[in-house]
Amino acid sequence: MKTIKKLSINLGLLLFFTLLIAFMPSMTTVHASEIDMENNYRLNVTNVILVNGKSLHLKVLGLSDREEVSFKSDNPEIASINQEGLITANRVGVTTITATVKNGTKTKDLRCDVTVGPPAFSVKITKSRIILGLDESDLLKVILKPSNTTEVARFSSNNSNIASISTGGRVTAKNLGMTYLFALIDATYPDGKRKTSVCTIIVTKPEDAPLLDAYFNEHPELDLIPSTDLSSALEEFFNGSPVEKDADTVSPTPVPMAQSEETQSKGLVDALDAFLDERFNLAELRSAREAANSSLVK
């Protein structure tokens, strides 16, 4: 009886391992196929914000030669897509694009949410002037209208050697001087030029930056000077006059007042005040502003 019992146990174990080995290849194959369909395919973007009328290519990554891809939009009136994956924004709204990957008899759906908004018709930088110490940074902010626009302003610097600006509006002060920062949108003026907002940036020594900022805040009479005239004067003070050229000689570039020995001995703010006073007669401007304020009170 003991011999028969041992034989039965051994036979049972042999049958178990035989069946386990037989099933292992098919189990492994199914698992590999599931990983291939679930994890290897992905979209280059899963959430898209488009301005009405703009386009973007949607791509499925991780494909091999065996797979086929088809695209479909839940609402083509808002955003349509062709079979090459080009999404076109047609109307303000929200919809979903589905990319279906087919591998033999198996399929995998990948979804991308699309938001279509109106273009901007105006742009305004929130600050007209920024004063930064050397190597300091700041974030340039803009107001776009309409408030629900999905357009993003494009930033640039007139002189990136003085101050650079990133695509997100991060300004970095690189060298002493003054330059201009621009925020641009697609909308145009009647003459065809794109709508732009401008901000002046002055880069100075870190210890002078708060003093300059206080000076402009404490001298509202500067607002009475035409902006182009004031900008030209400040550019001359901080950068020097433009180089004069003729057929035979090139005149040397003047030393900017902001970097001259005279300014350093006087102090930057005092030198700027004297320079602007000589150019625009600040005392007269202050009197004009005070008279205007008095008439408003009466």
Side-chain angles (χ1 to χ4, degrees):
M1 289 294 294
K2 288 183 179 180
T3 303
I4 294 173
K5 188 175 182 180
K6 287 182 179 180
L7 286 174
S8 299
I9 292 171
N10 290 334
L11 183 61
L13 290 172
L14 179 62
L15 180 61
F16 170 78
F17 284 113
T18 301
L19 292 172
L20 180 63
I21 293 172
F23 278 105
M24 280 182 65
S26 61
M27 288 171 66
T28 302
T29 301
V30 170
H31 186 58
S33 177
E34 287 174 353
I35 290 177
D36 187 43
M37 292 306 293
E38 293 294 331
N39 298 327
N40 281 3
Y41 309 129
R42 62 193 186 281
L43 296 174
N44 59 331
V45 287
T46 57
N47 197 305
V48 174
I49 299 175
L50 286 175
V51 177
N52 194 15
K54 298 293 183 178
S55 300
L56 177 78
H57 264 105
L58 186 66
K59 297 179 181 179
V60 179
L61 307 177
L63 294 174
S64 68
D65 295 336
R66 299 187 304 273
E67 292 89 9
E68 298 178 356
V69 179
S70 60
F71 297 98
K72 183 181 179 180
S73 171
D74 284 359
N75 192 335
E77 291 185 358
I78 293 174
S80 57
I81 185 167
N82 63 19
Q83 290 311 302
E84 282 69 48
L86 182 66
I87 302 173
T88 301
N90 300 318
R91 195 184 72 191
V92 174
V94 177
T95 188
T96 299
I97 300 288
T98 301
T100 300
V101 182
K102 185 177 181 182
N103 184 347
T105 59
K106 297 181 179 296
T107 60
K108 172 67 178 178
D109 287 340
L110 305 171
R111 291 180 174 81
C112 174
D113 295 324
V114 180
T115 301
V116 179
F121 59 74
S122 75
V123 57
K124 182 177 177 59
I125 299 174
T126 57
K127 294 181 180 179
S128 61
R129 184 185 300 111
I130 296 176
I131 300 172
L132 289 180
L134 198 60
D135 296 326
E136 293 178 346
S137 64
D138 195 7
L139 186 64
L140 196 68
K141 297 180 180 179
V142 299
I143 298 173
L144 296 170
K145 292 184 179 180
S147 58
N148 65 334
T149 180
T150 50
E151 186 170 356
V152 178
R154 294 178 294 283
F155 298 106
S156 64
S157 170
N158 193 55
N159 188 336
S160 57
N161 290 324
I162 293 175
S164 62
I165 187 166
S166 70
T167 55
R170 175 64 60 180
V171 184
T172 303
K174 302 178 74 174
N175 283 291
L176 300 179
M178 173 184 146
T179 190
Y180 302 95
L181 304 171
F182 303 99
L184 181 78
I185 58 175
D186 285 338
T188 59
Y189 296 106
D191 62 1
K193 292 182 180 179
R194 289 188 175 180
K195 291 187 176 181
T196 308
S197 184
V198 184
C199 172
T200 300
I201 178 167
I202 297 171
V203 178
T204 186
K205 295 177 182 178
E207 61 269 24
D208 287 331
L211 300 176
L212 272 177
D213 200 35
Y215 174 80
F216 285 109
N217 289 333
E218 293 166 3
H219 289 75
E221 70 273 10
L222 297 177
D223 295 338
L224 298 177
I225 303 171
S227 59
T228 53
D229 294 344
L230 180 59
S231 293
S232 296
L234 292 175
E235 191 169 3
E236 181 179 340
F237 180 83
F238 288 102
N239 293 353
S241 301
V243 176
E244 294 290 335
K245 296 184 179 181
D246 58 33
D248 300 316
T249 61
V250 177
S251 62
T253 304
V255 176
M257 285 287 294
Q259 300 179 39
S260 67
E261 292 181 5
E262 178 186 355
T263 299
Q264 292 174 17
S265 63
K266 265 187 170 184
L268 182 64
V269 171
D270 290 341
L272 175 61
D273 187 62
F275 177 80
L276 294 177
D277 187 41
E278 181 182 353
R279 181 68 62 90
F280 301 110
N281 194 339
L282 298 185
E284 187 177 299
L285 289 175
R286 278 192 290 271
S287 297
R289 184 179 182 86
E290 290 170 3
N293 289 339
S294 297
S295 63
L296 288 175
V297 171
K298 292 177 181 180

